[in-house]
Amino acid sequence: MGHENDVRTLGRLRQQLLGGDISRRGFLTAAMGLSSAALLSGCVGGLRQATGGSVGDPKVIPLYTVENDPATLAFYNMVIAKFEEAHPGHKVTVTVYSDSNQLQYLTTAFQNGVDVGIFSPPVSSFPDFQSAGHLADIGDAIARVGVDDFLPGTRVLIGGNDYGMPLQSNSSLVYYRKDLLEKAGLAEPKTYDEYLNAIRTLHGQDGRIGIAMAIGATPQLPLQFFAPYIYQSGWDYFDADGNLTFDQPEVLDAVRRFTDVMQHTSQSLKNAEFGDIVNAYTAGQAAFATFPGRLGVALTEKAPDIAANTGVMPIPAGPYKTGQLHFGSGQQYGLFSRTANPELAKELLIMLTTGDDALEFALTVPGHLLPPLKSVQTKLRERMAGGGDDYIHQHSDWMETFLGQVENAMTSSVSMGAVTDHTFEGKTLNLMPWATGIWPSPAIDGDMFSEILLNGVAPDQAWQKACERMRTVSDDWKTKNPGWHPEVSR
């Protein structure tokens, strides 16, 4: 009965939205309380086989996603309801699949002639999908939005053409207990030495760890958490032309700085997952924690008393542009090259990612799903200035801090060489084609930190081994792809 009631409630909410009886925010607030099963039933899809040059039904726009949380599914229901009203006789269907095997899933779908319509693969896979002919050029949709509206390094340009529509960006910063710092007589750290001293001082007090941060078998863990340390050393893993720079002496200094910080976490977090960081901080077990905005949402829901005593700050991880360069990931929608109705699919792409709808998407996980469009960032700041809902009212300072860092928050596999030889001229999009060899499971840098932190290997010895492994991966790839040259866009 619970599921059936949720389905009826969702239908009623959709009618109220279309009738103007509730706002976008009102719809989302109510719909996010429904079950994922009910929300998915409101936009459920299925497989459609190839027929001729295109695949599927031109009256159906498929949307494939790995996002199955109620907030995102509520957002899809909202946009789809309005889209279908504006395009009578057409239907949008959503199919959810697992992010743990998404590359295999999509590859199999392509091979079997499945119309995946709009989908969101890892950005590093865009070149492979484009070269295989699976991606449509969406430059006309980008032009309709306005090329100057996109933040630097968010568009996916291959051969000068657009193949990705950005849907979100973010930045990963550090949460800290203001009350614990004040009790210890410490100010918010501004330099690396102050940061390490605060973590060291608070480590072990009342059974807490100094910082919740992790390394482990998941490739993105070291990529995310080590990023500010290597960027703020003045370097990256490779330069913009794909030459190894991880072997620079300042990078070894960054490895040592990161290792010194990680000495003040729990033993279990030296081989952990992302959720373990959130759990440790929300349980009051850590004085600091590195994470994007999603931790703040979880903290406010689960531990409002800790949230009230928490601040968010940039990470002072090194001597170059201290506290200014961070990890940040983004997502982009791609459009299947053989989808049955590409023009209408582009209409939906634009609706999902622009204007007030994109603002509401950003607010489904406030501070985490940051807008990649300047115009939507402006809307978000206007909403924040107006007080907004309880979360925005309470934590607009957190959100502003995340927003302030997003333009200089990057991923080395996507923005290869943006920081090189103590030079940073802005975030770029420069895909590293051998990234899967650098960050397999476990990743090369993850193995390096595991050897140092768990096996007691000297940092310089573990670093030299990692350098050689990275050089071998990139050299082998270049040997097999002699015509490759990087394509850098801003």
Side-chain angles (χ1 to χ4, degrees), residues 26-42:
F27 176 91
L28 288 174
T29 300
M32 283 190 289
L34 304 177
S35 68
S36 294
L39 291 166
L40 188 56
S41 72

Side-chain angles (χ1 to χ4, degrees), residues 61-336:
I61 310 301
L63 173 60
Y64 277 66
T65 179
V66 298
E67 303 296 339
N68 63 356
D69 61 284
T72 302
L73 293 177
F75 170 75
Y76 284 147
N77 271 276
M78 179 190 76
V79 174
I80 288 169
K82 295 190 301 171
F83 184 85
E84 291 178 347
E85 181 187 44
H87 299 90
H90 293 85
K91 183 176 179 59
V92 178
T93 58
V94 175
T95 300
V96 176
Y97 57 101
S98 173
D99 58 359
S100 62
N101 66 342
Q102 60 177 314
L103 292 180
Q104 179 182 354
Y105 183 96
L106 291 170
T107 300
T108 301
F110 296 144
Q111 292 171 345
N112 292 332
V114 175
D115 185 355
V116 298
I118 297 168
F119 62 107
S120 181
V123 66
S124 58
S125 66
F126 270 82
D128 290 339
F129 286 164
Q130 186 274 335
S131 64
H134 300 316
L135 288 170
D137 182 348
I138 59 168
D140 54 342
I142 296 291
R144 285 174 58 189
V145 176
V147 294
D148 292 336
D149 200 4
F150 294 89
L151 291 177
T154 57
R155 293 163 58 199
V156 181
L157 289 166
I158 303 172
N161 299 318
D162 281 278
Y163 290 95
M165 178 68 81
L167 66 106
Q168 69 96 5
S169 190
N170 65 30
S171 54
S172 181
L173 306 178
V174 69
Y175 295 79
Y176 67 98
R177 290 284 298 271
K178 295 186 290 186
D179 56 335
L180 300 182
L181 283 179
E182 182 179 356
K183 183 178 178 182
L186 298 171
E188 177 187 308
K190 300 297 184 183
T191 67
Y192 171 77
D193 288 340
E194 291 174 352
Y195 183 48
L196 178 61
N197 178 62
I199 293 170
R200 181 186 290 129
T201 299
L202 298 177
H203 183 67
Q205 289 191 4
D206 298 321
R208 295 186 187 89
I209 55 175
I211 188 165
M213 195 164 67
I215 58 170
T218 302
Q220 289 79 14
L221 281 165
L223 180 62
Q224 174 168 333
F225 297 125
F226 182 55
Y229 294 82
I230 189 170
Y231 292 151
Q232 293 179 41
S233 76
W235 294 96
D236 198 346
Y237 290 77
F238 294 84
D239 68 17
D241 294 318
N243 301 305
L244 183 73
T245 56
F246 196 81
D247 58 355
Q248 295 296 318
E250 292 95 336
V251 174
L252 175 56
D253 293 337
V255 169
R256 291 186 174 121
R257 284 193 293 272
F258 181 83
T259 300
D260 286 345
V261 169
M262 282 293 294
Q263 299 288 2
H264 301 90
T265 192
S266 65
Q267 193 69 10
S268 63
L269 283 173
K270 295 173 184 177
N271 187 16
E273 298 291 342
F274 287 107
D276 298 319
I277 298 170
V278 175
N279 293 337
Y281 193 82
T282 57
Q285 297 170 355
F288 291 82
T290 304
F291 218 77
R294 193 177 295 274
L295 189 156
V297 176
L299 183 67
T300 302
E301 292 175 353
K302 297 177 180 179
D305 54 332
I306 296 177
N309 288 295
T310 289
V312 174
M313 56 174 260
I315 305 170
Y320 176 71
K321 291 188 176 293
T322 303
Q324 298 179 47
L325 303 175
H326 295 89
F327 174 88
S329 63
Q331 284 182 284
Q332 293 83 4
Y333 288 118
L335 181 63
F336 184 42

